[in-house]
Amino acid sequence: MTKSKSQDLRFKFYHQLEVIYHQFLDELAEAELADGEIGKIAQTVLLSHQEGLKHLVSEQEMEAYYEKYPQDK
C-alpha cells in the first residue's frame, strides 16, 4: 500500500469519526436528560474524540486533511 493510499484511508476514517462524533453530540443535546448528565457524557465523548483522533492524522498532515475535507475545519 502506498503512503498516499494509507493517508487517504486514515483521512477517510478520521472524517467518518468526526461525522459520528458530531451526530452523537447533536443527539445528546436533544436528549431529555438532566444538564449534569449531558455534561458528563459530553465531556467523556470529547475526551475520547481528542485522544482517539490525534493518532490518525498528525498536526503536520492537518492542512492536507482540510484540503480534502474542508467541511471539517
Side-chain angles (χ1 to χ4, degrees), residues 7-17 65 69:
Q7 186 180 61
D8 287 345
L9 288 170
R10 286 185 298 104
F11 283 10
K12 180 181 179 183
F13 187 52
Y14 187 102
H15 173 70
Q16 290 172 336
L17 287 173
Y65 173 81
Y69 297 100

Side-chain angles (χ1 to χ4, degrees), residues 3-65:
K3 180 175 178 165
S4 177
K5 182 65 173 173
S6 171
Q7 186 180 61
D8 287 345
L9 288 170
R10 286 185 298 104
F11 283 10
K12 180 181 179 183
F13 187 52
Y14 187 102
H15 173 70
Q16 290 172 336
L17 287 173
E18 282 284 1
V19 169
I20 290 169
Y21 277 110
H22 286 282
Q23 287 173 342
F24 181 77
L25 289 172
D26 287 345
E27 288 180 37
L28 184 60
E30 295 175 11
E32 294 180 15
L33 299 171
D35 288 345
E37 192 171 0
I38 289 173
K40 287 178 187 177
I41 295 170
Q43 184 177 23
T44 301
V45 169
L46 291 172
L47 286 171
S48 169
H49 174 270
Q50 179 182 2
E51 287 301 309
L53 295 183
K54 74 180 181 184
H55 300 287
L56 286 173
V57 178
S58 70
E59 285 187 41
Q60 294 81 12
E61 294 176 305
M62 286 309 291
E63 187 174 323
Y65 173 81

